[in-house]
């Protein structure tokens, strides 16, 4: 059984059809990179998968559990909507760290807020918070940010902020970690440190979906590649399609990208 199944996703903004029936599957521990020109629908697809946008048609299934069905969307409860959102971790282009909190506090914030819903929270608040902070420290160490654990976002470089954002996304233990062009807001010299962290997550058997414009990175780290063009998947396969594309549209994209 596939870890992630996306079937028949359609999305419109007004009269413009941005996604036109998207279908793909991803197995547990695999990395999928989504590439394509600006406006091809890459980020919209990611936002529909993670419930930041609502598709008009289609389904999303995770681990055999249908977490989105456009035909039933209006009938779900707010509690169910929150449960589904926690399935995915999302790392944005622009970090979105809270400026008033330290690195440690940024990583701890969401788990601590969710912990308040636990039936044993009042009786075990101290122990629960200690467990959350210990886990956060491990994640911060994992992304190489322990020396800056008490610093604020304004004291960090863009690459360092993005590494904290990755730790924050991991803190909720998502089944699938999603990245929306994670290096697009970084200077070239900072890109490498973020890509190194993402490579390390692959070694840890993390299932990931990455919207990226880093072709060399996509070829190196991905198990599967999707090339989107004008709202459809124009070509998909192993990273070999970036070396030997079989469609004229992907050939033209790669030629333009390399110029």
């Amino acid at each position: 059984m596939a870890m992630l199944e996306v079937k028949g996703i359609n999305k419109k903004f007004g009269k413009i059809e941005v996604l036109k029936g998207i279908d793909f599957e991803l197995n547990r521990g695999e990395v999928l990179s989504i590439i394509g020109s600006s406006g091809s629908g890459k980020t919209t697809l990611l936002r529909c998968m993670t419930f930041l946008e609502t598709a008009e048609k289609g389904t999303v299934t995770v681990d055999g559990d249908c977490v989105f069905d456009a035909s039933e969307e209006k009938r779900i409860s707010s509690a169910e909507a929150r449960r589904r959102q926690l399935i995915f971790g999302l790392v944005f282009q622009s970090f979105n760290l809270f400026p008033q909190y330290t690195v440690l506090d940024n990583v701890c914030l969401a788990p601590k807020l969710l912990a308040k819903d636990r039936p044993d929270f009042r009786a075990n608040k101290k122990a629960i918070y200690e467990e959350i902070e210990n886990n956060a420290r491990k994640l911060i160490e994992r992304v190489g940010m322990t020396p800056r654990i008490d610093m604020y976002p304004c004291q960090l470089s863009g690459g360092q902020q993005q590494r904290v954002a990755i730790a924050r996304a991991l803190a909720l233990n998502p089944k699938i970690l999603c990245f929306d062009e994670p290096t697009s807001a970084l200077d070239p010299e900072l890109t490498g440190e973020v890509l190194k962290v993402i490579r390390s997550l692959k070694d840890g058997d993390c299932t990931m979906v990455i919207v990226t414009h880093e072709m060399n990175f996509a070829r190196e780290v991905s198990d599967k590649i999707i090339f989107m063009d004008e709202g459809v998947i124009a070509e998909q396969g192993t990273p070999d399609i970036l070396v030997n594309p079989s469609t004229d549209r992907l050939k033209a994209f790669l030629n333009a990208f390399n110029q």
Side-chain angles (χ1 to χ4, degrees):
M1 178 187 297
M3 177 69 168
L4 172 65
E5 296 178 85
V6 174
K7 294 184 178 180
I9 293 294
N10 280 64
K11 176 64 181 176
K12 291 182 179 180
F13 291 106
K15 296 181 178 180
I16 300 175
E17 192 174 21
V18 180
L19 299 177
K20 306 171 184 178
I22 302 298
D23 299 275
F24 68 87
E25 294 184 355
L26 189 64
N27 294 324
R28 188 183 307 276
E30 288 186 330
V31 177
L32 168 69
S33 287
I34 303 175
I35 64 171
S37 302
S38 177
S40 61
K42 306 184 304 296
T43 294
T44 299
L45 173 58
L46 199 68
R47 290 176 65 85
C48 286
M49 283 171 44
T50 55
F51 314 114
L52 295 177
E53 300 284 354
T54 302
E56 283 79 27
K57 296 180 182 179
T59 62
V60 177
T61 302
V62 177
D63 234 2
D65 177 22
C66 183
V67 297
F68 173 79
D69 186 337
S71 65
E72 300 178 352
E73 183 61 17
K74 294 181 180 179
R75 286 174 272 174
I76 67 166
S77 65
S78 58
E80 173 61 14
R82 184 169 64 175
R83 181 192 74 82
R84 298 184 321 178
Q85 288 174 332
L86 293 175
I87 292 170
F88 295 90
L90 183 56
V91 179
F92 299 91
Q93 297 180 30
S94 54
F95 325 135
N96 289 353
L97 300 178
F98 291 100
Q100 70 272 36
Y101 296 135
T102 65
V103 167
L104 179 61
D105 290 338
N106 264 282
V107 178
C108 288
L109 181 61
K112 285 184 175 180
L113 290 174
L114 288 173
K116 295 178 180 180
D117 292 334
R118 290 176 50 166
D120 62 337
F121 176 72
R122 288 191 177 182
N124 300 301
K125 177 179 177 180
K126 183 177 180 180
I128 291 171
Y129 276 5
E130 285 181 356
E131 181 181 359
I132 289 171
E133 289 194 9
N134 287 336
N135 183 58
R137 290 179 186 277
K138 291 177 182 177
L139 292 173
I140 291 167
E141 181 180 10
R142 187 175 180 182
V143 299
M145 288 298 294
T146 298
R148 295 169 175 79
I149 196 168
D150 294 319
M151 291 185 176
Y152 292 87
C154 65
Q155 298 172 301
L156 306 175
S157 70
Q160 290 167 347
Q161 290 186 60
Q162 192 64 295
R163 285 150 62 189
V164 175
I166 292 171
R168 180 180 61 181
L170 289 169
L172 293 174
N173 195 30
K175 290 187 175 182
I176 300 170
L177 187 58
C178 300
F179 296 85
D180 185 11
E181 297 196 14
T183 62
S184 65
L186 302 179
D187 294 331
E189 63 269 22
L190 300 177
T191 295
E193 65 185 64
V194 173
L195 298 184
K196 182 178 178 181
V197 170
I198 298 174
R199 288 188 192 96
S200 73
L201 298 178
K202 177 178 171 63
D203 294 338
D205 205 31
C206 183
T207 306
M208 293 184 279
V209 178
I210 306 171
V211 171
T212 183
H213 60 275
E214 298 283 346
M215 295 301 114
N216 290 334
F217 172 73
R219 184 165 55 246
E220 174 190 342
V221 77
S222 303
D223 297 288
K224 296 178 180 177
I225 301 280
I226 282 177
F227 167 59
M228 295 191 63
D229 186 54
E230 297 183 356
V232 301
I233 295 177
E235 188 168 347
Q236 62 179 309
T238 68
D240 288 341
I241 68 171
L242 298 181
V243 180
N244 298 302
S246 59
T247 64
D248 290 338
R249 285 194 281 185
L250 180 53
K251 290 177 183 177
F253 169 76
L254 293 173
N255 288 335
F257 188 86
N258 290 325
Q259 287 179 357

